[in-house]
Amino acid sequence: MRTFGKFLSSVVPLDPVMRVRHLYQLIPESLEFAGRSTRYMNYGYWDDGCTSMDAASEALARLLADAAGITAGDVVLDVGFGHGDQDFLWLQERQPARVHGVNITPHHVESARRRAADEGVADRLEFHLGSATDLPFPDATFDRVVALECAFHFRTRRTFLAEALRVLRPGGTIGLIDILPVDQETPQTALRSIQFDWISRTYDPANWYGTGRYLGELAGVGFTAGAIRSIRERVYEPYRRAMVEQLADPDFVASLEPGQHETLIRVWEGQETLGSDLAMLDYVVVTATKPA
């Protein structure tokens, strides 16, 4: 299998939004979700006692729901929802009145719609093909807007923040899980490992800034009470350790297709650049409020 970097190099002429869509269409699901019972597409939150990718991903979804304040009766917009696992979890545990999802990748939308229909919740979970920077909803529609590990892709993050403010009701909350440079003076091209090269190529350059600038962007479009909390210590390194342990599990190896074990070994073991990349990237929870 080609590395993500080689694939993305072949599509550099594409619009950056299309480049992100092609990336997620490229990754074989047999590799991405090997050994998994869920289809979350994030690094997870590795709280004390967490031992699996599925549990860590669910913990991250709950962390975002807590940060955004999702509660019973809310109308929620989930932007860049992947396969929508977090939306089904929130529907069960938080009892929002309705969750709408927006995503630019057609097969993700189709996957989430099929599951909603199969589980008989399509009247409460609605998944739309669309752009984070041109949300197909009227003003003041939602109580919460969330985006789980994807806003760094958006062209641009500030445009998305302005759209989120528009569709939020007065007093509504935005909650994000996002990836930032620890030091915004570090160039994106400094990310050289196989695992993070895809970020350097799909992270919109206009979004490459740190927490101070991020808070300024939130305030600049009209949000108040902006806050950013780093959780990187419970994300990157625990995820890496879990992946290395999984690669040593014979049952996991047996579940892979030919060549996939070797691909994952190259991604997660024996890379000097991986450690330096981990040190360059922050992983944060972002919240802000639309003035009442």
mmCIF file of all heavy atoms in Angstrom, residues 128-146:
data_model
loop_
_atom_site.group_PDB
_atom_site.id
_atom_site.type_symbol
_atom_site.label_atom_id
_atom_site.label_comp_id
_atom_site.label_asym_id
_atom_site.label_seq_id
_atom_site.Cartn_x
_atom_site.Cartn_y
_atom_site.Cartn_z
ATOM 1 N N HIS A 128 -25.770 14.894 6.333
ATOM 2 C CA HIS A 128 -25.827 15.689 5.114
ATOM 3 C C HIS A 128 -24.450 15.752 4.454
ATOM 4 O O HIS A 128 -23.427 15.873 5.140
ATOM 5 C CB HIS A 128 -26.266 17.120 5.432
ATOM 6 C CG HIS A 128 -27.497 17.214 6.281
ATOM 7 N ND1 HIS A 128 -28.757 17.396 5.742
ATOM 8 C CD2 HIS A 128 -27.670 17.157 7.623
ATOM 9 C CE1 HIS A 128 -29.648 17.445 6.722
ATOM 10 N NE2 HIS A 128 -29.012 17.310 7.875
ATOM 11 N N LEU A 129 -24.426 15.701 3.136
ATOM 12 C CA LEU A 129 -23.211 15.964 2.381
ATOM 13 C C LEU A 129 -23.098 17.477 2.213
ATOM 14 O O LEU A 129 -23.999 18.122 1.673
ATOM 15 C CB LEU A 129 -23.278 15.288 1.019
ATOM 16 C CG LEU A 129 -22.035 15.409 0.133
ATOM 17 C CD1 LEU A 129 -20.853 14.670 0.749
ATOM 18 C CD2 LEU A 129 -22.322 14.867 -1.268
ATOM 19 N N GLY A 130 -22.005 18.051 2.702
ATOM 20 C CA GLY A 130 -21.861 19.497 2.621
ATOM 21 C C GLY A 130 -20.548 19.964 3.212
ATOM 22 O O GLY A 130 -19.726 19.176 3.670
ATOM 23 N N SER A 131 -20.370 21.284 3.188
ATOM 24 C CA SER A 131 -19.108 21.901 3.594
ATOM 25 C C SER A 131 -19.221 22.564 4.955
ATOM 26 O O SER A 131 -20.226 23.225 5.254
ATOM 27 C CB SER A 131 -18.692 22.949 2.556
ATOM 28 O OG SER A 131 -17.621 23.734 3.045
ATOM 29 N N ALA A 132 -18.166 22.450 5.736
ATOM 30 C CA ALA A 132 -18.101 23.103 7.044
ATOM 31 C C ALA A 132 -18.094 24.611 6.932
ATOM 32 O O ALA A 132 -18.464 25.311 7.883
ATOM 33 C CB ALA A 132 -16.846 22.649 7.788
ATOM 34 N N THR A 133 -17.687 25.127 5.780
ATOM 35 C CA THR A 133 -17.567 26.575 5.618
ATOM 36 C C THR A 133 -18.745 27.190 4.861
ATOM 37 O O THR A 133 -18.732 28.372 4.550
ATOM 38 C CB THR A 133 -16.253 26.923 4.907
ATOM 39 O OG1 THR A 133 -16.190 26.231 3.649
ATOM 40 C CG2 THR A 133 -15.060 26.512 5.763
ATOM 41 N N ASP A 134 -19.757 26.372 4.577
ATOM 42 C CA ASP A 134 -20.984 26.861 3.937
ATOM 43 C C ASP A 134 -22.123 25.981 4.435
ATOM 44 O O ASP A 134 -22.705 25.196 3.685
ATOM 45 C CB ASP A 134 -20.852 26.800 2.420
ATOM 46 C CG ASP A 134 -22.039 27.439 1.697
ATOM 47 O OD1 ASP A 134 -22.782 28.201 2.346
ATOM 48 O OD2 ASP A 134 -22.219 27.172 0.500
ATOM 49 N N LEU A 135 -22.445 26.099 5.718
ATOM 50 C CA LEU A 135 -23.381 25.186 6.360
ATOM 51 C C LEU A 135 -24.802 25.385 5.822
ATOM 52 O O LEU A 135 -25.284 26.519 5.770
ATOM 53 C CB LEU A 135 -23.354 25.404 7.876
ATOM 54 C CG LEU A 135 -22.022 25.068 8.552
ATOM 55 C CD1 LEU A 135 -22.027 25.517 10.014
ATOM 56 C CD2 LEU A 135 -21.718 23.575 8.451
ATOM 57 N N PRO A 136 -25.458 24.292 5.446
ATOM 58 C CA PRO A 136 -26.769 24.389 4.786
ATOM 59 C C PRO A 136 -27.930 24.498 5.761
ATOM 60 O O PRO A 136 -28.902 23.731 5.689
ATOM 61 C CB PRO A 136 -26.825 23.082 3.989
ATOM 62 C CG PRO A 136 -26.079 22.107 4.847
ATOM 63 C CD PRO A 136 -24.954 22.907 5.462
ATOM 64 N N PHE A 137 -27.845 25.456 6.689
ATOM 65 C CA PHE A 137 -28.880 25.616 7.700
ATOM 66 C C PHE A 137 -29.166 27.100 7.926
ATOM 67 O O PHE A 137 -28.280 27.946 7.775
ATOM 68 C CB PHE A 137 -28.442 24.973 9.026
ATOM 69 C CG PHE A 137 -28.079 23.521 8.914
ATOM 70 C CD1 PHE A 137 -26.753 23.130 8.861
ATOM 71 C CD2 PHE A 137 -29.063 22.549 8.829
ATOM 72 C CE1 PHE A 137 -26.408 21.800 8.746
ATOM 73 C CE2 PHE A 137 -28.733 21.207 8.711
ATOM 74 C CZ PHE A 137 -27.401 20.831 8.659
ATOM 75 N N PRO A 138 -30.380 27.415 8.353
ATOM 76 C CA PRO A 138 -30.724 28.811 8.662
ATOM 77 C C PRO A 138 -29.986 29.308 9.907
ATOM 78 O O PRO A 138 -29.453 28.519 10.696
ATOM 79 C CB PRO A 138 -32.237 28.762 8.908
ATOM 80 C CG PRO A 138 -32.702 27.461 8.355
ATOM 81 C CD PRO A 138 -31.543 26.521 8.456
ATOM 82 N N ASP A 139 -29.996 30.602 10.088
ATOM 83 C CA ASP A 139 -29.423 31.207 11.284
ATOM 84 C C ASP A 139 -30.130 30.677 12.532
ATOM 85 O O ASP A 139 -31.326 30.355 12.508
ATOM 86 C CB ASP A 139 -29.587 32.727 11.254
ATOM 87 C CG ASP A 139 -28.825 33.387 10.112
ATOM 88 O OD1 ASP A 139 -28.113 32.676 9.376
ATOM 89 O OD2 ASP A 139 -28.944 34.619 9.961
ATOM 90 N N ALA A 140 -29.365 30.617 13.638
ATOM 91 C CA ALA A 140 -29.919 30.318 14.961
ATOM 92 C C ALA A 140 -30.726 29.016 14.992
ATOM 93 O O ALA A 140 -31.839 28.965 15.509
ATOM 94 C CB ALA A 140 -30.775 31.489 15.454
ATOM 95 N N THR A 141 -30.133 27.945 14.441
ATOM 96 C CA THR A 141 -30.806 26.641 14.378
ATOM 97 C C THR A 141 -30.419 25.713 15.521
ATOM 98 O O THR A 141 -31.230 24.904 15.969
ATOM 99 C CB THR A 141 -30.470 25.948 13.035
ATOM 100 O OG1 THR A 141 -30.916 26.759 11.958
ATOM 101 C CG2 THR A 141 -31.105 24.570 12.939
ATOM 102 N N PHE A 142 -29.174 25.814 16.019
ATOM 103 C CA PHE A 142 -28.619 24.789 16.905
ATOM 104 C C PHE A 142 -28.273 25.320 18.294
ATOM 105 O O PHE A 142 -27.884 26.481 18.459
ATOM 106 C CB PHE A 142 -27.361 24.184 16.273
ATOM 107 C CG PHE A 142 -27.622 23.513 14.962
ATOM 108 C CD1 PHE A 142 -27.347 24.166 13.756
ATOM 109 C CD2 PHE A 142 -28.167 22.241 14.911
ATOM 110 C CE1 PHE A 142 -27.608 23.559 12.547
ATOM 111 C CE2 PHE A 142 -28.433 21.626 13.703
ATOM 112 C CZ PHE A 142 -28.154 22.286 12.511
ATOM 113 N N ASP A 143 -28.369 24.409 19.267
ATOM 114 C CA ASP A 143 -27.914 24.712 20.630
ATOM 115 C C ASP A 143 -26.422 24.455 20.787
ATOM 116 O O ASP A 143 -25.753 25.117 21.583
ATOM 117 C CB ASP A 143 -28.666 23.836 21.636
ATOM 118 C CG ASP A 143 -30.168 24.047 21.570
ATOM 119 O OD1 ASP A 143 -30.614 25.154 21.929
ATOM 120 O OD2 ASP A 143 -30.876 23.106 21.139
ATOM 121 N N ARG A 144 -25.898 23.480 20.048
ATOM 122 C CA ARG A 144 -24.470 23.113 20.122
ATOM 123 C C ARG A 144 -23.959 22.848 18.710
ATOM 124 O O ARG A 144 -24.639 22.216 17.892
ATOM 125 C CB ARG A 144 -24.244 21.837 20.942
ATOM 126 C CG ARG A 144 -25.093 21.710 22.191
ATOM 127 C CD ARG A 144 -24.678 22.630 23.300
ATOM 128 N NE ARG A 144 -25.649 22.608 24.386
ATOM 129 C CZ ARG A 144 -25.645 23.451 25.408
ATOM 130 N NH1 ARG A 144 -24.704 24.379 25.498
ATOM 131 N NH2 ARG A 144 -26.572 23.373 26.342
ATOM 132 N N VAL A 145 -22.744 23.304 18.451
ATOM 133 C CA VAL A 145 -22.014 22.938 17.241
ATOM 134 C C VAL A 145 -20.712 22.298 17.684
ATOM 135 O O VAL A 145 -19.981 22.865 18.516
ATOM 136 C CB VAL A 145 -21.735 24.150 16.337
ATOM 137 C CG1 VAL A 145 -20.826 23.749 15.162
ATOM 138 C CG2 VAL A 145 -23.033 24.749 15.807
ATOM 139 N N VAL A 146 -20.399 21.118 17.152
ATOM 140 C CA VAL A 146 -19.192 20.396 17.542
ATOM 141 C C VAL A 146 -18.434 19.925 16.297
ATOM 142 O O VAL A 146 -19.023 19.743 15.226
ATOM 143 C CB VAL A 146 -19.523 19.181 18.448
ATOM 144 C CG1 VAL A 146 -20.100 19.636 19.776
ATOM 145 C CG2 VAL A 146 -20.488 18.228 17.749
#
